[in-house]
Amino acid sequence: DISPPHPPTKPMSQIRVSELYVYPVKSAAGWSLAAAEVQARGFAFDRRWMVVDDAGKFMTQRKHPKLALLQVAIANQQLRLTAPGLSELVLPKASTHALTVEVWGDRCQAQVLEGSRDWLSDYLEQPCQLVYMPNESDRPIHHADLTNQPKQVSFADGFPFLLISQASLDDLNGRLDMPVPMNRFRPNLVVTGCAAFAEDTWHTIRVGEVTFRVAKPCSRCRLTTVDQTTAEMGQEPLKTLATYRLEHGQIWFGQNLWAENLGTIRVGDPVTVVA
């Protein structure tokens, strides 16, 4: 017997990392990287510094959108900060002056960067200073799956990594009058080669040599409405996202992750959906 030939099947596209980012100072401008080192608290340098008020409470673009224009460079054990209207500020990466700080209800130990107060207070028009999270600081991830294997997080909102697919942003931009760039959502990993919101269905993924667990969707806030190049705040994309990504009173976009092992991942690395 001769069977009719099977029609050619379209090869499945490979999911890959297309962009990698870190945000050394929480809520300030980020860096685009070709490769990133996965450490115990997240990518190396990611959100290890934070601006706090005189009570030690974290400050973000939600109330201080000008933080979007704060740029940081790191070289020779120093931070170099730049912001519109101010001369460059050079600081040591860390110090020995300890301070208890608060981020989303978590209290943990940080180190005050001496010399940052006047410069930042002038820029943000409120008394504030920069702090650093040393390796000894204790800020565990709060998640039921980690009861018996506690993991640490930096000054990030709650989890060490945030992943978004390019297809999800493309879907959103197809609904907006004015498209928005990926930097509105401040991801660590951007992936291509999957359907829009496919990341909502992932439980465990492997990126290069590192295995990540998907913890929970990311609840979005007004920070996404801050233009990262002008620091101007509007209504979009949050207004449009609320029309189709609203559930249980929260607007979801992207997935929070933690890493099960350390390693280095690179732009172009394949992403395997393990579960």
Side-chain angles (χ1 to χ4, degrees), residues 109-146:
Q109 289 299 300
Q111 298 172 351
V112 175
L113 269 63
E114 306 288 356
S116 65
R117 172 179 288 277
D118 289 346
W119 193 91
L120 281 170
S121 298
D122 185 29
Y123 181 58
L124 296 177
E125 302 178 79
Q126 176 183 326
C128 57
Q129 59 190 340
L130 194 66
V131 298
Y132 169 72
M133 176 181 280
N135 292 332
E136 299 77 25
S137 185
D138 181 34
R139 188 182 178 224
I141 300 173
H142 301 294
H143 196 274
D145 288 355
L146 291 170

Side-chain angles (χ1 to χ4, degrees), residues 21-237:
Y21 295 97
V22 294
Y23 309 88
V25 175
K26 182 179 179 67
S27 227
W31 301 346
S32 174
L33 303 175
E37 180 185 349
V38 175
Q39 297 182 341
R41 297 177 187 269
F43 284 148
F45 301 117
D46 191 44
R47 298 173 175 95
R48 294 301 292 267
W49 292 267
M50 179 171 70
V51 180
V52 298
D53 62 18
D54 275 352
K57 191 169 184 177
F58 73 114
M59 296 170 61
T60 73
Q61 290 182 38
R62 295 167 182 86
K63 293 184 177 179
H64 305 277
K66 288 172 63 176
L67 276 168
L69 308 182
L70 178 63
Q71 303 277 345
V72 59
I74 302 175
N76 301 320
Q77 300 301 311
Q78 292 179 322
L79 293 184
R80 308 184 77 91
L81 303 180
T82 57
L86 296 176
S87 57
E88 183 182 61
L89 177 66
V90 180
L91 298 168
K93 286 173 59 177
S95 76
T96 57
H97 181 181
L99 178 71
T100 299
V101 299
E102 179 185 342
V103 51
W104 290 120
D106 294 336
R107 295 179 67 81
C108 57
Q109 289 299 300
Q111 298 172 351
V112 175
L113 269 63
E114 306 288 356
S116 65
R117 172 179 288 277
D118 289 346
W119 193 91
L120 281 170
S121 298
D122 185 29
Y123 181 58
L124 296 177
E125 302 178 79
Q126 176 183 326
C128 57
Q129 59 190 340
L130 194 66
V131 298
Y132 169 72
M133 176 181 280
N135 292 332
E136 299 77 25
S137 185
D138 181 34
R139 188 182 178 224
I141 300 173
H142 301 294
H143 196 274
D145 288 355
L146 291 170
T147 302
N148 298 318
Q149 48 172 339
K151 292 184 180 293
Q152 298 286 317
V153 63
S154 66
F155 289 132
D157 279 357
F159 292 89
F161 305 94
L162 175 64
L163 178 147
I164 299 175
S165 72
Q166 181 63 47
S168 297
L169 179 65
D170 293 344
D171 180 277
L172 168 62
N173 280 334
R175 303 165 189 258
L176 294 173
D177 292 332
M178 293 289 292
V180 296
M182 186 65 81
N183 65 13
R184 291 290 188 98
F185 301 98
R186 302 173 69 79
N188 296 110
L189 299 92
V190 180
V191 300
T192 57
C194 64
F197 306 108
E199 61 268 33
D200 292 354
T201 69
W202 299 346
H203 181 266
T204 305
I205 62 173
R206 186 167 57 250
V207 182
E209 61 188 23
V210 180
T211 297
F212 293 91
R213 290 280 300 278
V214 180
K216 63 180 290 293
C218 183
S219 175
R220 308 318 304 220
C221 67
R222 63 186 304 203
L223 192 152
T224 61
T225 69
V226 178
D227 187 317
Q228 298 296 295
T229 60
T230 66
E232 295 178 357
M233 184 176 285
Q235 292 185 312
E236 295 290 8

